[in-house]
Amino acid sequence: MNRFTYERHIPVKRFGQNFLKNKTIINTIIQKMHLKTIDSVIEIGPGLGALTFPICNIVEKITVLEIDENIIFLLLKSKYYKHVKMILTDVIKFDFHYFFSLNTSILYRLIGNLPYNIATCLLINLIQYNVYIFDMHFMFQKEVAHRLLAIPGNKKYGKLSVLAQYFYKIIPVLDVDRYNFFPAPKVDSVFLRFIPYNKFNQNKINRYFFALEQITRMAFQHRRKFLINNLSKLFSEKTLLKFNINPFLRAEDVSIHQYYLLAKNFLKLYV
Ligand code: SAM
């Protein structure tokens, strides 16, 4: 292996190709997913198969979504090719709605060592498909993982924390430092598990996603300002007090439950 090639492939920077190379980390990740033979797994960005191939040893079939045609070509040449349904696509543009509607009785298990530039956007996109998802395991750069896990009062608690934690139970699975990848990225990572809350039907997901998106965007626009100022266009002081929310709190001190109450009220008032 020289500086540029890895398993006969030159990693493409714009596709965030930092391949997992540490077998112990890979095995731990697979173990912690508790996969079963009958699981329907979708992997986003299989790369050179670091996770795909060990998963093939457990499940009957895995679907992979990959943007790089050279990678698809290499996967086609692997001994696992018959176990892997390969879809050449940009996952951000992929029609998940169509894909999931092909068999609505399946609850999918998603996995991905995601490229950093699309990770949060993809996670937020996937909220709307939660009814089709059993769980998801994704690698995030540490800073983003901390924002996803942040609790009220923490500087990292923001719009992303509220949206993600409202729709998913998020569990940190494993810290993965940068030297476990080739090439090594500039930052460390954390592997997270996301379990969609099953209390939501599709209609509720769409409505609450819309409401929370609007409210958190305004609430966190000026972090140092009080709620009463940031949310003045949506809620009066009286409404905030009605929900036991102190109007002179800052957005970062409002709990997920309080955001839920605001979203419920927003939907009553405006939608
Ligand atoms: N899973 C492999 C591993 O752990 O070694 C590769 C992970 S690498 C960080 C990210 C993978 O996602 C690459 O295979 C890359 O080509 C693919 N990828 C990047 N952007 C993508 C996109 N928009 N849609 C689908 N795949 C993408």
Side-chain angles (χ1 to χ4, degrees):
M1 184 169 76
N2 66 32
R3 218 180 112 215
F4 301 109
T5 61
Y6 182 66
E7 314 239 338
R8 281 174 286 147
H9 174 77
I10 300 175
V12 181
K13 204 171 173 190
R14 75 175 188 284
F15 293 150
Q17 290 181 352
N18 301 100
F19 301 111
L20 262 173
K21 63 171 189 181
N22 182 330
K23 292 268 185 297
T24 310
I25 297 282
I26 292 168
N27 290 340
T28 310
I29 285 175
I30 303 286
Q31 235 174 43
K32 300 242 178 198
M33 283 183 69
H34 302 289
L35 288 165
K36 296 185 202 70
T37 321
I38 52 158
D39 282 341
S40 298
V41 179
I42 301 176
E43 185 183 9
I44 293 156
L48 302 168
L51 298 166
T52 326
F53 298 155
I55 292 175
C56 283
N57 287 326
I58 304 172
V59 305
E60 276 159 17
K61 197 101 189 162
I62 176 171
T63 301
V64 300
L65 309 178
E66 173 58 61
I67 199 168
D68 184 344
E69 57 189 16
N70 289 327
I71 289 227
I72 294 284
F73 180 70
L74 288 171
L75 291 179
L76 278 168
K77 290 206 297 189
S78 87
K79 68 172 180 173
Y80 292 98
Y81 80 99
K82 278 191 183 150
H83 296 273
V84 188
K85 179 175 172 185
M86 298 169 210
I87 304 180
L88 179 63
T89 184
D90 176 348
V91 72
I92 294 300
K93 296 184 190 145
F94 183 66
D95 192 345
F96 278 103
H97 180 72
Y98 174 74
F99 182 86
F100 289 135
S101 68
L102 294 174
N103 190 341
T104 52
S105 60
I106 296 178
L107 278 180
Y108 288 91
R109 303 197 65 187
L110 273 64
I111 178 173
N113 168 18
L114 300 176
Y116 297 142
N117 56 338
I118 62 162
T120 45
C121 173
L122 177 70
L123 181 77
I124 297 301
N125 273 352
L126 285 170
I127 287 174
Q128 61 191 306
Y129 305 108
N130 274 359
V131 293
Y132 304 109
I133 295 172
F134 178 76
D135 67 3
M136 310 191 292
H137 288 81
F138 290 139
M139 187 83 78
F140 278 91
Q141 62 185 98
K142 207 173 208 167
E143 191 272 331
V144 178
H146 287 170
R147 283 200 281 136
L148 286 163
L149 294 163
I151 56 172
N154 187 301
K155 288 270 163 295
K156 301 216 174 262
Y157 183 72
K159 185 180 162 191
L160 182 64
S161 335
V162 177
L163 282 175
Q165 290 175 35
Y166 183 69
F167 290 100
Y168 305 110
K169 181 175 163 88
I170 310 175
I171 304 162
V173 177
L174 191 68
D175 287 333
V176 186
D177 84 46
R178 66 196 77 178
Y179 303 107
N180 295 299
F181 300 88
F182 182 88
K186 289 200 176 72
V187 289
D188 297 327
S189 294
V190 181
F191 192 66
L192 298 173
R193 179 174 196 205
F194 298 83
I195 306 170
Y197 287 119
N198 55 15
K199 59 190 175 194
F200 305 116
N201 61 31
Q202 190 64 59
N203 184 37
K204 190 167 176 189
I205 290 174
N206 295 344
R207 285 162 53 79
Y208 275 80
F209 180 79
F210 175 72
L212 284 169
E213 231 274 322
Q214 304 286 322
I215 295 166
T216 51
R217 177 148 23 99
M218 291 179 105
F220 285 98
Q221 198 170 18
H222 306 285
R223 286 185 82 97
R224 300 314 302 155
K225 282 194 180 174
F226 297 130
L227 269 196
I228 184 69
N229 301 320
N230 281 343
L231 293 182
S232 63
K233 288 197 179 122
L234 298 179
F235 307 107
S236 64
E237 182 168 350
K238 206 171 137 199
T239 310
L240 293 175
L241 288 168
K242 195 171 113 190
F243 295 117
N244 264 335
I245 300 172
N246 178 347
F248 297 98
L249 284 180
R250 295 193 167 90
E252 66 194 35
D253 295 316
V254 178
S255 71
I256 305 282
H257 182 69
Q258 288 172 319
Y259 278 113
Y260 155 74
L261 294 175
L262 290 176
K264 196 168 159 189
N265 190 258
F266 172 94
L267 290 166
K268 255 194 219 148
L269 289 173
Y270 303 107
V271 184

